[in-house]
Amino acid sequence: TRDAALNWSKEYAGTLEKAGFAQGRSNPCLFRNEKTNVSIMVHGDDFVAVGSEENLKTTRAVLEDKYKIKVEVLGTKEGQSPELRILNKVVRVTKEGVELEADPRHAEIFVKQMGVDSKKSKTVSTPGTKEADYADDRPLEGDKGFLFRSCTMRLAYLAQDAPHLQYCVKESARHMASPTVGAMQRLKRIARFLVGNPRCVQRMYEQDAVKHFSVNVGSNFAGCLQTRKSTSSVYLFHGNHLLRSSATTQGAVTLSTGEAEFAALVKGASVGFGAVSMARDWGLEMGLHVYTDSSAAKGIASRRGAGKIRHLHTALLWVQGRVADKSMRIFKVRGDDNVADLGTKHLGRNLMDKHLASCGFTFESGESSMNLKAAL
């Protein structure tokens, strides 16, 4: 059975290629039919196809000819569903555009696992506060370590669709090997935040075609009080639509703010070029613009060689070649307007809401009609 997944991918790839689809080179799970302009993403045995209604019917017939399938169509016409679930994410279409929402069950389960009463507990305005509030390094006793690991991984899944949680979750995950009392206090604050803000919905409105991806990058120099490692934050946009965001701890200790910002810029460029390659698999030729609030990082990337920073890892300098051949461009952005700050540190509520709005996210009350109740 070890070869089952590989054999299945070869099977459906052969079926789609016979129907005129070309398999992606950067991502073998992407397919495009240039003649019908239908694009397909495959995840396991889930096929998500985008195209005109007529051409999607043809694609459906190709799959039904070989496989037993269940089909749901997202749309507003008769027989279509205005709201459905794709890979456990809620997707709905409105007159203005498309909305995406993380599976609400995980927030509900997490709050209950942390022992927080959603009806009696007082909520907080932000998911995290200054790092000194979590400095208690006493190890957790008994089964609390298992509970900490379980809750942290559940949050990591939820945070994929919740940019405002990614920095908190990243910091929590650093204690997976040796959970501490302070780390558990961090999770309890996140639970209290989710009591009052369980749903964060992303809206993607209709926009004009864009010719480049935009990547906002940011860094928090030596933000970890224990290791003095910095954080890199990357936000990938297609026009006004946020496609991906991340907050990660840098592998090496940097010696200056500019160096930490440059490391974040390199990571952002890597993510951006990955998106460019995936877009090419779907027949789109895209450029890349990178935005940073650091003049030092922009200067390092715009020259050739390490310069005065002799200790700079040469593996990072490939970005300079990409800037020189104009396959990417770097722009300076004001610090207060850099949405990547969401993934570098704990922000106040007003600034957090401002950056989330720039990414198309808003907090919603009530329940989605697609919400499945968690079984506990």
Side-chain angles (χ1 to χ4, degrees):
T1 57
R2 287 186 176 184
D3 296 329
L6 178 60
N7 290 338
W8 166 237
S9 67
K10 290 181 178 178
E11 162 63 28
Y12 69 69
T15 299
L16 292 175
E17 287 173 354
K18 288 180 181 179
F21 286 85
Q23 189 171 22
R25 297 182 63 183
S26 83
N27 189 332
C29 297
L30 303 180
F31 296 83
R32 177 175 180 265
N33 190 317
E34 186 174 357
K35 184 177 180 180
T36 62
N37 197 27
V38 172
S39 298
I40 296 178
M41 177 197 72
V42 184
H43 184 277
D45 60 353
D46 292 313
F47 290 67
V48 181
V50 178
S52 68
E53 189 171 354
E54 180 181 352
N55 290 332
L56 285 177
K57 289 181 179 179
T58 303
T59 303
R60 174 177 178 173
V62 170
L63 296 174
E64 286 181 327
D65 186 52
K66 294 201 66 174
Y67 315 118
K68 183 178 180 179
I69 64 175
K70 177 184 176 182
V71 178
E72 292 182 285
V73 180
L74 181 68
T76 56
K77 296 181 179 180
E78 185 178 355
Q80 300 177 348
S81 301
E83 190 175 38
L84 51 81
R85 305 177 75 88
I86 299 177
L87 300 177
N88 281 334
K89 293 176 174 58
V90 178
V91 184
R92 65 180 67 89
V93 61
T94 67
K95 294 180 179 179
E96 292 79 20
V98 176
E99 297 180 355
L100 302 177
E101 183 178 356
D103 189 344
R105 289 177 298 173
H106 291 286
E108 178 185 347
I109 294 173
F110 171 73
V111 169
K112 291 183 178 180
Q113 283 181 315
M114 294 304 299
V116 176
D117 191 328
S118 59
K119 295 182 179 179
K120 298 181 180 179
S121 297
K122 184 178 179 181
T123 187
V124 292
S125 60
T126 60
T129 58
K130 56 186 178 181
E131 296 301 319
D133 293 342
Y134 315 113
D136 191 337
D137 59 357
R138 290 176 297 165
L140 292 177
E141 299 178 353
D143 294 337
K144 290 183 179 179
F146 175 81
L147 175 65
F148 174 85
R149 295 184 182 95
S150 174
C151 290
T152 299
M153 294 315 298
R154 186 177 300 281
L155 272 182
Y157 180 80
L158 181 65
Q160 293 180 87
D161 302 291
H164 57 293
L165 299 180
Q166 289 171 351
Y167 178 76
C168 301
V169 174
K170 187 266 293 186
E171 290 298 298
S172 297
R174 297 175 63 191
H175 298 276
M176 290 288 280
S178 303
T180 65
V181 173
M184 183 63 85
Q185 291 172 345
R186 187 192 300 274
L187 289 189
K188 288 185 177 179
R189 181 177 178 90
I190 298 175
R192 291 174 60 199
F193 172 79
L194 289 176
V195 166
N197 306 273
R199 296 178 59 202
C200 190
V201 178
Q202 180 183 11
R203 291 179 172 84
M204 295 186 175
Y205 300 110
E206 185 176 350
Q207 63 179 7
D208 294 332
V210 295
K211 298 182 179 180
H212 61 268
F213 290 110
S214 300
V215 179
N216 281 64
V217 298
S219 174
N220 182 19
F221 172 59
C224 176
L225 300 180
Q226 285 75 41
T227 65
R228 289 303 176 186
K229 288 185 176 181
S230 305
T231 295
S232 292
S233 176
V234 176
Y235 278 61
L236 171 68
F237 289 88
H238 178 261
N240 296 320
H241 302 156
L242 180 68
L243 302 184
R244 170 180 172 175
S245 60
S246 65
T248 55
T249 300
Q250 295 180 2
V253 177
T254 51
L255 304 184
S256 68
T257 302
E259 189 179 338
E261 294 283 1
F262 177 65
L265 188 150
V266 173
K267 182 174 180 62
S270 178
V271 170
F273 281 118
V276 169
S277 297
M278 291 181 66
R280 189 173 293 120
D281 288 342
W282 275 342
L284 301 173
E285 288 297 330
M286 303 287 289
L288 177 62
H289 291 178
V290 178
Y291 295 83
T292 176
D293 55 15
S294 170
S295 297
K298 184 175 183 294
I300 296 172
S302 300
R303 65 178 183 233
R304 301 306 295 266
K308 294 182 179 180
I309 311 178
R310 298 298 182 186
H311 62 273
L312 193 64
H313 198 330
T314 55
L316 301 178
L317 298 182
W318 62 268
V319 166
Q320 295 178 338
R322 291 302 189 102
V323 175
D325 66 16
K326 299 182 180 180
S327 56
M328 66 175 281
R329 299 179 63 188
I330 303 177
F331 298 89
K332 181 75 164 55
V333 64
R334 282 170 47 93
D336 291 344
D337 296 329
N338 190 1
V339 297
D341 275 356
L342 269 173
T344 61
K345 52 185 171 290
H346 300 299
L347 301 179
R349 183 59 186 250
N350 290 338
L351 189 55
M352 181 183 74
D353 286 345
K354 172 188 172 182
H355 289 327
L356 283 174
S358 298
C359 299
F361 286 85
T362 56
F363 292 107
E364 297 289 340
S365 58
E367 288 189 356
S368 165
S369 61
M370 296 294 292
N371 186 19
L372 301 177
K373 287 296 181 181
L376 295 176

